[in-house]
Amino acid sequence: MRKLGLIAGGGELPFVLARRCQVAGRPLFVARLRSFADPGLAEFPGAEIGLAELGRMFSELKRAGVEAVCFAGNVKRPDFSALKPDLRGLKSLPGAIAAARQGDDALLRFLLREFEREGFHVEGAHEVDVSLTLPLGPLGRLDHGPAHAADLAQAIAAARAIGRLDIGQGVVVVDGVVLAVEAQEGTDAMLRRCAELPAELRGTQAAPRGVLVKWPKPIQERRMDMPTLGLATVELAAAIGLAGVVGEAQSMLVMDREALIATADRLGLFVCGAPAEPS
C-alpha cells in the first residue's frame, strides 16, 4: 500500500480522505497548503507548506516516504505576483503562469505533471475513497422522472457547452430556460443568484420545478478536480424551488452522504446520477 501525500486545501474533503486512510490503515502525510488548509488538519502527520514552495513540498514528501499524492480541497486561483516561491517553485512559475492563461484545467494539468516528474503517482479522491462517488440512478428515495426529462437534457447540454469553454460545471434550468451558469463564483453562489430572480421564473418549495446539473468538463483532470456535491448545495437547491440535482454517475463526489440523502428526502428533492451519455 503506497504511502499517501495529501495535498490539502480548504473544506471538508481533506478530512474525509485523511480519516479514510486512518480507517484503512494506509500511511499518510498531509501537506497543508498555507492560507487554504483548515488548521484542524494539523492532527494528522504532515507539514504546512506555501503554495509556491515546490522544492520544500517535494523534499518533505520524499523525506516522509510518500509514493502517491492526492489533491483535495478548495484552492483559489493565486495572484502570481504575490506568491513567494522557493528556487524550485521559481523554476516552475513561468510555466504555471502560461498554463493559467489557458484556463484552470490547464493549470491543474501543469501542476500534476510537475509532481509526476518528481516520481509521484497521482491518485484522485475517488480512488482514495471509492465510496465518495455518485452512483447511477437516484441517491435517495426520489428519482427525476419524465416530468423533468426535458430540463435535465437541456441542463446537461448547457453544462457540457460551458465545460468545453472551461467556464464552469453547474447549470440551472427551469421550464426550458437556463437561469444561471456557474463560473468562478462556485455552485452555491450561483444558486444564491437564482434566489434573487422573480418567483415566476423558478419554482417554489411548495411547487418545485427545474434542475441543477453539475457535470465535469470534457478536458477536466479528474484526479485533481472533480465536481462535488455537499449538504449546503442540496439545501440551497431546495430553498430556491428546484426539484432536483443531477450529476454524472461515478464522476461526482458526494460529501456527508447519509445526511445529504436524509435532507434531500425530507425536502422532497431528487439527487440522481446520470449516465455519461444519457439517452
Side-chain angles (χ1 to χ4, degrees):
M1 185 180 293
R2 295 187 179 107
K3 185 170 185 176
L4 184 69
L6 192 61
I7 316 302
E12 181 189 2
L13 183 58
F15 286 98
V16 172
L17 296 179
R19 289 172 183 142
R20 174 64 181 173
C21 286
Q22 284 185 325
V23 169
R26 183 173 187 178
L28 176 71
F29 180 92
V30 180
R32 307 184 305 274
L33 294 177
R34 187 175 299 119
S35 301
F36 295 102
D38 191 302
L41 287 167
E43 70 175 272
F44 303 102
E48 183 179 82
I49 303 172
L51 190 62
E53 294 176 344
L54 280 183
R56 181 167 175 239
M57 173 74 75
F58 295 147
S59 64
E60 291 277 6
L61 292 172
K62 290 176 181 178
R63 187 179 301 117
V66 166
E67 298 175 278
V69 296
C70 176
F71 297 82
N74 305 319
V75 178
K76 294 181 181 178
R77 176 187 278 247
D79 176 358
F80 288 101
S81 65
L83 292 177
K84 297 179 179 179
D86 56 17
L87 287 176
R88 180 65 176 78
L90 191 62
K91 179 182 177 182
S92 298
L93 194 57
I97 293 173
R101 293 194 182 105
Q102 301 173 44
D104 289 346
D105 285 278
L107 176 58
L108 291 176
R109 288 193 298 274
F110 173 84
L111 292 174
L112 184 148
R113 287 194 297 271
E114 291 293 284
F115 278 80
E116 288 182 327
R117 287 191 186 104
E118 291 291 326
F120 297 107
H121 175 77
V122 179
E123 296 183 21
H126 60 294
E127 296 171 301
V128 176
D129 187 350
V130 295
S131 70
L132 286 175
T133 54
L134 178 69
L136 183 64
L139 191 60
R141 62 180 174 82
L142 299 176
D143 202 347
H144 59 78
H148 304 285
D151 280 352
L152 176 56
Q154 182 159 347
I156 291 175
R160 286 174 168 165
I162 65 171
R164 284 192 293 271
L165 297 172
D166 197 12
I167 293 173
Q169 302 171 345
V171 173
V172 175
V173 172
V174 177
D175 293 342
V177 177
V178 177
L179 296 192
V181 298
E182 177 188 353
Q184 290 296 313
E185 80 275 34
T187 304
D188 291 353
M190 175 190 68
L191 292 175
R192 284 190 284 269
R193 281 196 282 117
C194 290
E196 299 173 0
L197 294 171
E200 59 267 21
L201 289 180
R202 54 185 178 82
T204 65
Q205 293 184 48
R209 294 182 290 145
V211 63
L212 161 67
V213 159
K214 291 192 69 172
W215 210 261
K217 304 170 188 175
I219 60 172
Q220 195 158 335
E221 177 46 77
R222 300 185 188 193
R223 289 176 294 172
M224 294 185 72
D225 180 28
M226 186 179 281
T228 300
L229 179 64
L231 192 58
T233 299
V234 165
E235 291 173 336
L236 277 170
I240 67 170
L242 292 180
V245 179
V246 174
E248 182 183 315
Q250 309 305 326
S251 296
M252 175 183 278
L253 302 177
V254 179
M255 311 302 297
D256 292 323
R257 180 175 299 239
E258 292 185 7
L260 188 148
I261 292 172
T263 299
D265 286 349
R266 175 175 55 81
L267 295 173
L269 191 88
F270 60 79
V271 177
C272 298
E277 297 294 337
S279 55

